[in-house]
Amino acid sequence: MGFGHTIEAPARRASVRAVPATPRLSRRAGLWAVAFAFLAVAAFSTAPSPLYGLFAHRDHLSSLTVTFAYAVYAVGVVVSLVLAGHVSDWYGRRVVLLPAIAVAVVAAVLFLLWRSLAGLLAARVLTGVALGAAVATATAYIADLDAGPGGATTRRAGIVATVANIGGLACGPLIAGLLARDDAHGLTLPFQVFLAALVLAGLAVLLAPEGHPPIHPRPRYRPQRLSVPPRARRQFAAAAAGVGLCFAVLGLFAGLAGMFLAGPLHHPGPALVGVTIFLSFGAGAVAQTTTTGWAPQRLIAGGIAAALIGLAVLVASAWTSPPSLALFEIAGIVAGAGSGAIFRGSLSTVILTSGPDDRAGVLATFFTAGYAGLSVPVIGLGLLLQHLSPRVTLLIFALVVGLGILAAAPILVRQHDSGDPCPPPDARRPGRPLQHAQT
């Protein structure tokens, strides 16, 4: 820890006291500080999911409006991912992650103070913007701080980033749903708690050491380019379809679980909604972190089977008489685990079929497809619910998603089984191409 030099003003010879530099954490402690910040932003991004019923009651919103309020968050993620997901390579990690956390803080304040539909939409868009900037930067930051003297990153970085990201997405609804059990403070206490967590996250990142110093001269700014690997268009199309479809399954539970629980299942309440979303996302996180030694072919095949079984159980939960809450929860767990496995297998396909010079753009395209899957199908479900019963809507959703997964499956599995030559996954420039890889 150094100190500044004493400054002597030319007009008056008075000395100015040295200002001590900001103390920094060790690299190991900094890694956990950044992981906590990542967890906080990810958890905050999904925290409103179990509260949409309360928002609908307060602001007299239709089910379609609630669906749209959920979906605009994904739009913010995609826009931020394209515009800001890559700039930490130029300016440094901390200088990008801190503003992302600040945007999340502003969103939390809007949730608390701007109590109307316009405030809800603005807060959700800003939440997506914060996550889009943070998810790439924090993943790269964790990898930087985990790297040894030679620059090699251990498996710990990927596991920590995955747990912070997917674990945060899972824990946010659970915490918010439990805190919202008191109806009098259901739309204030959760956001007060997350606001405090985000402020602590900002302080933690402020004390963390920089993992990737800014480069000089800095390149001229440009948005992240979206691209497709020229020699593997079919494989990439299958991977993009896979991530879009598995995100659609997760989006169903994140965006509409409360509607189905309160409607045909007759179990309203934010706490149960939060538990349901936690189980679905949590199963996806467990599937990703416990299958790190699996071959991609085995992972994709297992994920497809689990996702299809989960969709079948989901339909059965609505069509039994009476509708079954237990089956609905089981469907969330099984489909969530399958979606997590398909996601990681599809991501492996994208990494293996892209070269070091175009991998960042290919990954940006891949995640754009994923977040489109998180929002567009949910809006479609909201429209169907205006004209069809929930059980018929679920049946249509399961058929469309299931057939889509089956159509993409042969190409995804064949890619890993055929031994087609692919660029080696480690042929990359340090700190650049894989920064999105654990979202």
Short mmCIF file of all heavy atoms in Angstrom, two decimals, residues 325-361:
data_model
loop_
_atom_site.label_atom_id
_atom_site.label_comp_id
_atom_site.label_asym_id
_atom_site.label_seq_id
_atom_site.Cartn_x
_atom_site.Cartn_y
_atom_site.Cartn_z
N LEU A 325 -50.05 -29.99 -7.34
CA LEU A 325 -48.94 -29.12 -6.97
C LEU A 325 -47.63 -29.91 -6.92
O LEU A 325 -46.59 -29.42 -7.38
CB LEU A 325 -49.20 -28.46 -5.62
CG LEU A 325 -48.05 -27.63 -5.04
CD1 LEU A 325 -47.74 -26.44 -5.93
CD2 LEU A 325 -48.39 -27.16 -3.62
N ALA A 326 -47.68 -31.12 -6.39
CA ALA A 326 -46.46 -31.94 -6.28
C ALA A 326 -45.86 -32.20 -7.66
O ALA A 326 -44.65 -32.09 -7.87
CB ALA A 326 -46.78 -33.25 -5.57
N LEU A 327 -46.71 -32.56 -8.63
CA LEU A 327 -46.21 -32.80 -9.97
C LEU A 327 -45.64 -31.52 -10.60
O LEU A 327 -44.65 -31.56 -11.34
CB LEU A 327 -47.32 -33.36 -10.86
CG LEU A 327 -47.74 -34.81 -10.60
CD1 LEU A 327 -48.88 -35.21 -11.53
CD2 LEU A 327 -46.55 -35.76 -10.76
N PHE A 328 -46.25 -30.38 -10.32
CA PHE A 328 -45.76 -29.11 -10.86
C PHE A 328 -44.36 -28.83 -10.32
O PHE A 328 -43.47 -28.40 -11.07
CB PHE A 328 -46.72 -27.99 -10.46
CG PHE A 328 -46.43 -26.67 -11.13
CD1 PHE A 328 -46.85 -26.41 -12.42
CD2 PHE A 328 -45.73 -25.68 -10.46
CE1 PHE A 328 -46.59 -25.20 -13.04
CE2 PHE A 328 -45.45 -24.47 -11.06
CZ PHE A 328 -45.89 -24.23 -12.36
N GLU A 329 -44.13 -29.07 -9.03
CA GLU A 329 -42.81 -28.84 -8.45
C GLU A 329 -41.79 -29.84 -9.00
O GLU A 329 -40.65 -29.46 -9.30
CB GLU A 329 -42.88 -28.96 -6.92
CG GLU A 329 -43.83 -28.00 -6.24
CD GLU A 329 -43.37 -26.56 -6.33
OE1 GLU A 329 -42.19 -26.32 -6.66
OE2 GLU A 329 -44.18 -25.65 -6.08
N ILE A 330 -42.17 -31.10 -9.13
CA ILE A 330 -41.27 -32.10 -9.71
C ILE A 330 -40.91 -31.73 -11.14
O ILE A 330 -39.75 -31.85 -11.56
CB ILE A 330 -41.92 -33.50 -9.65
CG1 ILE A 330 -42.05 -33.96 -8.19
CG2 ILE A 330 -41.10 -34.51 -10.45
CD1 ILE A 330 -42.86 -35.24 -8.02
N ALA A 331 -41.90 -31.24 -11.89
CA ALA A 331 -41.64 -30.83 -13.27
C ALA A 331 -40.61 -29.71 -13.31
O ALA A 331 -39.71 -29.71 -14.18
CB ALA A 331 -42.94 -30.37 -13.93
N GLY A 332 -40.72 -28.75 -12.39
CA GLY A 332 -39.74 -27.66 -12.35
C GLY A 332 -38.33 -28.16 -12.08
O GLY A 332 -37.37 -27.69 -12.71
N ILE A 333 -38.20 -29.12 -11.17
CA ILE A 333 -36.87 -29.65 -10.83
C ILE A 333 -36.28 -30.42 -12.01
O ILE A 333 -35.13 -30.19 -12.42
CB ILE A 333 -36.97 -30.56 -9.59
CG1 ILE A 333 -37.39 -29.74 -8.36
CG2 ILE A 333 -35.65 -31.27 -9.33
CD1 ILE A 333 -37.72 -30.58 -7.15
N VAL A 334 -37.06 -31.33 -12.59
CA VAL A 334 -36.54 -32.19 -13.67
C VAL A 334 -36.27 -31.36 -14.93
O VAL A 334 -35.20 -31.48 -15.56
CB VAL A 334 -37.53 -33.32 -13.98
CG1 VAL A 334 -37.03 -34.17 -15.14
CG2 VAL A 334 -37.73 -34.20 -12.74
N ALA A 335 -37.21 -30.49 -15.30
CA ALA A 335 -37.00 -29.66 -16.49
C ALA A 335 -35.87 -28.67 -16.28
O ALA A 335 -35.11 -28.38 -17.21
CB ALA A 335 -38.30 -28.93 -16.83
N GLY A 336 -35.74 -28.15 -15.05
CA GLY A 336 -34.65 -27.23 -14.77
C GLY A 336 -33.29 -27.90 -14.88
O GLY A 336 -32.35 -27.33 -15.45
N ALA A 337 -33.19 -29.13 -14.35
CA ALA A 337 -31.93 -29.87 -14.47
C ALA A 337 -31.61 -30.17 -15.93
O ALA A 337 -30.46 -30.02 -16.38
CB ALA A 337 -32.02 -31.17 -13.66
N GLY A 338 -32.62 -30.59 -16.70
CA GLY A 338 -32.38 -30.86 -18.11
C GLY A 338 -31.98 -29.61 -18.88
O GLY A 338 -31.08 -29.66 -19.73
N SER A 339 -32.61 -28.49 -18.57
CA SER A 339 -32.27 -27.24 -19.24
C SER A 339 -30.84 -26.82 -18.94
O SER A 339 -30.11 -26.34 -19.82
CB SER A 339 -33.25 -26.14 -18.82
OG SER A 339 -34.56 -26.46 -19.22
N GLY A 340 -30.43 -26.99 -17.68
CA GLY A 340 -29.05 -26.66 -17.32
C GLY A 340 -28.04 -27.50 -18.07
O GLY A 340 -27.01 -27.00 -18.53
N ALA A 341 -28.35 -28.79 -18.23
CA ALA A 341 -27.44 -29.68 -18.97
C ALA A 341 -27.39 -29.32 -20.45
O ALA A 341 -26.31 -29.28 -21.06
CB ALA A 341 -27.87 -31.13 -18.78
N ILE A 342 -28.55 -29.05 -21.05
CA ILE A 342 -28.56 -28.66 -22.47
C ILE A 342 -27.80 -27.36 -22.67
O ILE A 342 -27.05 -27.20 -23.65
CB ILE A 342 -30.01 -28.50 -22.96
CG1 ILE A 342 -30.72 -29.85 -22.96
CG2 ILE A 342 -30.05 -27.91 -24.37
CD1 ILE A 342 -32.21 -29.77 -23.27
N PHE A 343 -27.96 -26.44 -21.74
CA PHE A 343 -27.26 -25.16 -21.84
C PHE A 343 -25.75 -25.37 -21.88
O PHE A 343 -25.05 -24.85 -22.74
CB PHE A 343 -27.64 -24.25 -20.68
CG PHE A 343 -26.75 -23.05 -20.54
CD1 PHE A 343 -26.84 -22.00 -21.43
CD2 PHE A 343 -25.80 -22.99 -19.53
CE1 PHE A 343 -26.01 -20.90 -21.32
CE2 PHE A 343 -24.96 -21.90 -19.41
CZ PHE A 343 -25.07 -20.85 -20.31
N ARG A 344 -25.23 -26.15 -20.93
CA ARG A 344 -23.79 -26.33 -20.87
C ARG A 344 -23.28 -27.11 -22.07
O ARG A 344 -22.21 -26.83 -22.62
CB ARG A 344 -23.36 -27.01 -19.57
CG ARG A 344 -21.89 -26.80 -19.25
CD ARG A 344 -21.57 -27.16 -17.81
NE ARG A 344 -21.59 -28.57 -17.59
CZ ARG A 344 -20.59 -29.39 -17.91
NH1 ARG A 344 -19.50 -28.92 -18.48
NH2 ARG A 344 -20.67 -30.68 -17.66
N GLY A 345 -24.05 -28.10 -22.53
CA GLY A 345 -23.65 -28.83 -23.72
C GLY A 345 -23.67 -27.96 -24.97
O GLY A 345 -22.77 -28.04 -25.81
N SER A 346 -24.69 -27.11 -25.11
CA SER A 346 -24.77 -26.21 -26.25
C SER A 346 -23.62 -25.21 -26.22
O SER A 346 -23.04 -24.87 -27.26
CB SER A 346 -26.11 -25.47 -26.24
OG SER A 346 -27.19 -26.36 -26.33
N LEU A 347 -23.29 -24.74 -25.02
CA LEU A 347 -22.18 -23.80 -24.89
C LEU A 347 -20.87 -24.45 -25.32
O LEU A 347 -20.03 -23.83 -25.99
CB LEU A 347 -22.09 -23.32 -23.44
CG LEU A 347 -20.97 -22.32 -23.12
CD1 LEU A 347 -21.15 -21.04 -23.93
CD2 LEU A 347 -20.96 -22.01 -21.63
N SER A 348 -20.68 -25.73 -24.98
CA SER A 348 -19.48 -26.44 -25.41
C SER A 348 -19.40 -26.51 -26.93
O SER A 348 -18.33 -26.35 -27.52
CB SER A 348 -19.47 -27.86 -24.82
OG SER A 348 -19.44 -27.83 -23.41
N THR A 349 -20.54 -26.74 -27.57
CA THR A 349 -20.56 -26.77 -29.03
C THR A 349 -20.11 -25.44 -29.62
O THR A 349 -19.31 -25.39 -30.56
CB THR A 349 -21.99 -27.11 -29.52
OG1 THR A 349 -22.33 -28.41 -29.09
CG2 THR A 349 -22.07 -27.03 -31.04
N VAL A 350 -20.61 -24.35 -29.06
CA VAL A 350 -20.25 -23.02 -29.57
C VAL A 350 -18.76 -22.75 -29.39
O VAL A 350 -18.08 -22.25 -30.30
CB VAL A 350 -21.09 -21.94 -28.86
CG1 VAL A 350 -20.61 -20.54 -29.23
CG2 VAL A 350 -22.55 -22.09 -29.24
N ILE A 351 -18.22 -23.11 -28.24
CA ILE A 351 -16.80 -22.86 -27.99
C ILE A 351 -15.94 -23.69 -28.93
O ILE A 351 -14.95 -23.22 -29.50
CB ILE A 351 -16.46 -23.17 -26.52
CG1 ILE A 351 -17.15 -22.15 -25.60
CG2 ILE A 351 -14.96 -23.16 -26.29
CD1 ILE A 351 -17.02 -22.46 -24.13
N LEU A 352 -16.32 -24.96 -29.14
CA LEU A 352 -15.52 -25.86 -29.95
C LEU A 352 -15.59 -25.54 -31.44
O LEU A 352 -14.66 -25.84 -32.19
CB LEU A 352 -15.96 -27.30 -29.72
CG LEU A 352 -15.61 -27.90 -28.35
CD1 LEU A 352 -16.30 -29.24 -28.17
CD2 LEU A 352 -14.10 -28.05 -28.20
N THR A 353 -16.68 -24.95 -31.90
CA THR A 353 -16.84 -24.69 -33.33
C THR A 353 -16.49 -23.27 -33.73
O THR A 353 -16.64 -22.91 -34.90
CB THR A 353 -18.29 -24.99 -33.78
OG1 THR A 353 -19.19 -24.20 -32.99
CG2 THR A 353 -18.61 -26.46 -33.62
N SER A 354 -16.02 -22.45 -32.78
CA SER A 354 -15.64 -21.08 -33.10
C SER A 354 -14.13 -20.93 -32.92
O SER A 354 -13.53 -21.58 -32.07
CB SER A 354 -16.39 -20.08 -32.22
OG SER A 354 -16.14 -20.34 -30.85
N GLY A 355 -13.54 -20.08 -33.73
CA GLY A 355 -12.11 -19.84 -33.64
C GLY A 355 -11.80 -18.71 -32.68
O GLY A 355 -12.69 -17.97 -32.24
N PRO A 356 -10.53 -18.54 -32.32
CA PRO A 356 -10.16 -17.51 -31.35
C PRO A 356 -10.45 -16.10 -31.81
O PRO A 356 -10.65 -15.21 -30.99
CB PRO A 356 -8.65 -17.73 -31.15
CG PRO A 356 -8.20 -18.48 -32.36
CD PRO A 356 -9.36 -19.31 -32.79
N ASP A 357 -10.52 -15.88 -33.12
CA ASP A 357 -10.74 -14.52 -33.62
C ASP A 357 -12.21 -14.12 -33.67
O ASP A 357 -12.52 -12.94 -33.76
CB ASP A 357 -10.14 -14.36 -35.02
CG ASP A 357 -8.62 -14.46 -35.01
OD1 ASP A 357 -8.03 -14.10 -33.97
OD2 ASP A 357 -8.05 -14.90 -36.01
N ASP A 358 -13.12 -15.09 -33.64
CA ASP A 358 -14.54 -14.75 -33.74
C ASP A 358 -15.35 -15.26 -32.56
O ASP A 358 -16.57 -15.15 -32.54
CB ASP A 358 -15.14 -15.29 -35.04
CG ASP A 358 -15.14 -16.82 -35.09
OD1 ASP A 358 -14.57 -17.45 -34.19
OD2 ASP A 358 -15.72 -17.36 -36.05
N ARG A 359 -14.69 -15.84 -31.55
CA ARG A 359 -15.43 -16.51 -30.48
C ARG A 359 -16.27 -15.54 -29.65
O ARG A 359 -17.40 -15.87 -29.25
CB ARG A 359 -14.47 -17.29 -29.58
CG ARG A 359 -15.18 -18.22 -28.62
CD ARG A 359 -14.19 -19.15 -27.92
NE ARG A 359 -13.67 -20.14 -28.85
CZ ARG A 359 -12.38 -20.52 -28.88
NH1 ARG A 359 -11.52 -19.96 -28.08
NH2 ARG A 359 -12.00 -21.43 -29.73
N ALA A 360 -15.77 -14.33 -29.39
CA ALA A 360 -16.54 -13.38 -28.59
C ALA A 360 -17.84 -13.00 -29.29
O ALA A 360 -18.91 -12.96 -28.68
CB ALA A 360 -15.70 -12.14 -28.32
N GLY A 361 -17.75 -12.73 -30.60
CA GLY A 361 -18.96 -12.39 -31.35
C GLY A 361 -19.92 -13.55 -31.44
O GLY A 361 -21.14 -13.37 -31.36
#
